[in-house]
């Protein structure tokens, strides 16, 4: 597993200007929303569950440690956090 500083350096190397590490409490939920720019999430610990409710056949996908999730600008998405919480590096 990458250290926080290694993970943040990786996300910066992918071309993201604003990079930070975030931790969510267990079972947190973010209702459908979007961002003005493309974002990435590099999971350090825990589970990150995402769906795209405006898709034709929306499905929930679960990601764990080491996974990268990219979300295009203006794409509506909804997120749940697993039972152990989740720590991830965000790139914007």
């Amino acid at each position: 597993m990458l250290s926080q500083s290694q993970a943040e350096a990786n996300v910066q190397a992918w071309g993201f200007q604003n990079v930070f590490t975030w931790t969510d409490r267990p079972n947190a939920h973010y209702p459908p929303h979007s961002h003005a720019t493309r974002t990435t999430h590099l999971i350090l610990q825990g589970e990150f569950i995402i769906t795209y409710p405006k898709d034709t056949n929306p499905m929930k996908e679960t990601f764990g440690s080491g996974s990268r999730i990219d979300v295009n600008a203006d794409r509506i998405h909804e997120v749940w956090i697993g039972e152990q919480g989740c720590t991830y590096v965000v790139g914007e």
Side-chain angles (χ1 to χ4, degrees):
M1 183 165 107
L2 295 174
S3 71
Q4 179 179 332
S5 60
Q6 290 171 320
E8 288 178 352
N10 283 357
V11 172
Q12 279 189 320
W14 297 337
F16 291 92
Q17 300 290 319
N18 185 26
V19 175
F20 58 94
T21 298
W22 186 261
T23 299
D24 278 311
R25 64 177 170 72
N27 303 309
H29 174 244
Y30 294 93
H33 65 285
S34 66
H35 303 274
T37 61
R38 182 173 67 100
T39 60
T40 194
H41 307 77
L42 178 58
I43 310 303
L44 298 178
Q45 182 179 349
E47 288 186 330
F48 185 99
I49 302 135
I50 190 167
T51 191
Y52 303 95
K54 299 271 184 170
D55 284 5
T56 303
N57 295 308
M59 296 173 32
K60 285 185 181 179
E61 295 181 85
T62 300
F63 296 91
S65 297
S67 296
R68 175 183 174 177
I69 304 100
D70 291 321
V71 180
N72 289 331
D74 301 319
R75 187 170 187 199
I76 302 291
H77 56 287
E78 184 171 8
V79 174
W80 296 264
I81 300 301
E83 294 179 1
Q84 304 301 315
C86 189
T87 299
Y88 49 97
V89 178
V90 177
E92 301 175 322

